Amino acid sequence: ISLDSIVSDASPSVITIGHEGSPFGRDSLIIKGNVLIGEDLGDAFNADSVLRIQRSNDRAFLHFKTDADQESAILFGDVDDDVECAIEYEPANKALTFSTGNNTEAVRIDEDQKVGIGTTPDYKMHIYTSDSGASAHGNSDDLFIENSGNAGITIGSGTTSNGSIFFSDSDSTLSGQIEYRHNGDSMMLITGGSNRLHLQGDGDVDIVDGNLVVADGHGIDFSATTDGD
């Protein structure tokens, strides 16, 4: 263990722990600046920029404290790349970001708890591939999936099982449902907790329960040709 003398406030003391002859080897610990480790640190954490590792009565934590315009981060890298991945806090935006793949931002959580994957989020959950120019309706903006080309959601289930979207409220966990049944390749539309419309795998449509009601002045167009029945 070696302790360099304090030269000035701008050049504080450095504590180096390592094997003799190679103090900067992989088994070394270098402490420079405000690093606090302990249980009762008192007012010592009031410095402008501090790394604190502390155990209190109810928790243990690692705490970064910086000026309002300074970011703090946990960085991950290897011998070939200084930084590959990172978890970073932006105090100016009160946002937390996760970066992967050569330190490219992948996920952002802003101060309103909006989550963006590949983007700064405009909605509660915003999954972005490329700019579509579209926006979400205010009644349906909790999840927004964006792509300048085709965009979609896939529900994968077993070949003899079902894939479903459920609709619930405070009175029922199953008020409505859209269900695809892989065993037979058919689709069921459920309202009020009961099957109503069944689209068969061969294209036939069954009204399981209810009537086909056509608005006044409208009907069914069979699109027959002039020489057809």
Side-chain angles (χ1 to χ4, degrees), residues 6 16 25 36 43 45 48 117 143 162 173 189:
I6 298 177
T16 303
L36 309 177
D43 295 332
F45 193 57
D48 291 336
I117 299 178
L143 171 62
N162 304 330
T173 58
L189 183 63

mmCIF file of all heavy atoms in Angstrom, residues 6 16 25 36 43 45 48 117 143 162 173 189:
data_model
loop_
_atom_site.group_PDB
_atom_site.id
_atom_site.type_symbol
_atom_site.label_atom_id
_atom_site.label_comp_id
_atom_site.label_asym_id
_atom_site.label_seq_id
_atom_site.Cartn_x
_atom_site.Cartn_y
_atom_site.Cartn_z
ATOM 1 N N ILE A 6 0.198 14.826 -0.675
ATOM 2 C CA ILE A 6 -0.728 15.783 -1.262
ATOM 3 C C ILE A 6 0.064 16.953 -1.822
ATOM 4 O O ILE A 6 0.787 17.630 -1.102
ATOM 5 C CB ILE A 6 -1.736 16.275 -0.211
ATOM 6 C CG1 ILE A 6 -2.568 15.088 0.301
ATOM 7 C CG2 ILE A 6 -2.644 17.351 -0.794
ATOM 8 C CD1 ILE A 6 -3.528 15.459 1.395
ATOM 9 N N THR A 16 -2.671 3.656 -3.737
ATOM 10 C CA THR A 16 -2.551 2.560 -4.688
ATOM 11 C C THR A 16 -2.310 1.262 -3.928
ATOM 12 O O THR A 16 -1.428 1.193 -3.081
ATOM 13 C CB THR A 16 -1.394 2.810 -5.673
ATOM 14 O OG1 THR A 16 -1.600 4.048 -6.344
ATOM 15 C CG2 THR A 16 -1.310 1.689 -6.695
ATOM 16 N N GLY A 25 -1.405 -3.031 -12.137
ATOM 17 C CA GLY A 25 -1.808 -4.312 -12.684
ATOM 18 C C GLY A 25 -3.270 -4.608 -12.428
ATOM 19 O O GLY A 25 -3.976 -3.868 -11.750
ATOM 20 N N LEU A 36 -15.759 7.387 -0.736
ATOM 21 C CA LEU A 36 -16.119 7.144 0.658
ATOM 22 C C LEU A 36 -16.628 5.723 0.815
ATOM 23 O O LEU A 36 -17.499 5.280 0.072
ATOM 24 C CB LEU A 36 -17.204 8.136 1.101
ATOM 25 C CG LEU A 36 -16.929 9.627 0.820
ATOM 26 C CD1 LEU A 36 -18.121 10.459 1.242
ATOM 27 C CD2 LEU A 36 -15.668 10.085 1.529
ATOM 28 N N ASP A 43 -21.361 14.014 7.216
ATOM 29 C CA ASP A 43 -21.453 15.077 6.227
ATOM 30 C C ASP A 43 -20.399 14.967 5.137
ATOM 31 O O ASP A 43 -20.289 15.859 4.286
ATOM 32 C CB ASP A 43 -21.311 16.444 6.910
ATOM 33 C CG ASP A 43 -22.474 16.729 7.859
ATOM 34 O OD1 ASP A 43 -23.576 16.198 7.599
ATOM 35 O OD2 ASP A 43 -22.268 17.467 8.835
ATOM 36 N N PHE A 45 -20.355 13.331 2.602
ATOM 37 C CA PHE A 45 -20.922 13.153 1.269
ATOM 38 C C PHE A 45 -21.360 14.479 0.654
ATOM 39 O O PHE A 45 -21.903 14.523 -0.430
ATOM 40 C CB PHE A 45 -22.113 12.192 1.329
ATOM 41 C CG PHE A 45 -22.565 11.696 -0.013
ATOM 42 C CD1 PHE A 45 -21.689 11.047 -0.862
ATOM 43 C CD2 PHE A 45 -23.877 11.872 -0.426
ATOM 44 C CE1 PHE A 45 -22.101 10.590 -2.101
ATOM 45 C CE2 PHE A 45 -24.294 11.410 -1.663
ATOM 46 C CZ PHE A 45 -23.402 10.764 -2.502
ATOM 47 N N ASP A 48 -18.781 18.055 -3.871
ATOM 48 C CA ASP A 48 -19.438 18.215 -5.166
ATOM 49 C C ASP A 48 -19.536 16.910 -5.941
ATOM 50 O O ASP A 48 -20.565 16.586 -6.509
ATOM 51 C CB ASP A 48 -18.685 19.259 -6.013
ATOM 52 C CG ASP A 48 -18.848 20.657 -5.442
ATOM 53 O OD1 ASP A 48 -19.846 20.881 -4.740
ATOM 54 O OD2 ASP A 48 -17.982 21.502 -5.701
ATOM 55 N N ILE A 117 -37.140 2.366 -26.518
ATOM 56 C CA ILE A 117 -36.174 1.405 -27.033
ATOM 57 C C ILE A 117 -35.743 1.901 -28.404
ATOM 58 O O ILE A 117 -36.532 1.940 -29.343
ATOM 59 C CB ILE A 117 -36.772 -0.009 -27.134
ATOM 60 C CG1 ILE A 117 -37.195 -0.505 -25.753
ATOM 61 C CG2 ILE A 117 -35.780 -0.977 -27.772
ATOM 62 C CD1 ILE A 117 -37.841 -1.867 -25.762
ATOM 63 N N LEU A 143 -48.570 2.025 -25.442
ATOM 64 C CA LEU A 143 -47.549 1.279 -26.176
ATOM 65 C C LEU A 143 -47.592 1.727 -27.627
ATOM 66 O O LEU A 143 -48.635 1.666 -28.273
ATOM 67 C CB LEU A 143 -47.797 -0.233 -26.072
ATOM 68 C CG LEU A 143 -46.937 -1.135 -26.969
ATOM 69 C CD1 LEU A 143 -45.454 -1.005 -26.618
ATOM 70 C CD2 LEU A 143 -47.379 -2.597 -26.861
ATOM 71 N N ASN A 162 -53.364 -21.541 -27.976
ATOM 72 C CA ASN A 162 -54.016 -20.321 -28.435
ATOM 73 C C ASN A 162 -53.150 -19.104 -28.142
ATOM 74 O O ASN A 162 -52.384 -19.078 -27.175
ATOM 75 C CB ASN A 162 -55.374 -20.137 -27.740
ATOM 76 C CG ASN A 162 -56.297 -21.328 -27.940
ATOM 77 O OD1 ASN A 162 -56.226 -22.013 -28.957
ATOM 78 N ND2 ASN A 162 -57.157 -21.563 -26.970
ATOM 79 N N THR A 173 -61.885 -9.852 -15.368
ATOM 80 C CA THR A 173 -60.570 -10.025 -15.970
ATOM 81 C C THR A 173 -60.673 -10.456 -17.427
ATOM 82 O O THR A 173 -59.668 -10.509 -18.131
ATOM 83 C CB THR A 173 -59.761 -11.082 -15.201
ATOM 84 O OG1 THR A 173 -60.482 -12.331 -15.203
ATOM 85 C CG2 THR A 173 -59.519 -10.639 -13.765
ATOM 86 N N LEU A 189 -63.754 -14.145 -31.742
ATOM 87 C CA LEU A 189 -63.979 -12.818 -31.169
ATOM 88 C C LEU A 189 -64.939 -12.978 -29.998
ATOM 89 O O LEU A 189 -66.045 -13.513 -30.146
ATOM 90 C CB LEU A 189 -64.566 -11.874 -32.215
ATOM 91 C CG LEU A 189 -64.793 -10.433 -31.767
ATOM 92 C CD1 LEU A 189 -63.467 -9.765 -31.407
ATOM 93 C CD2 LEU A 189 -65.503 -9.631 -32.858
#
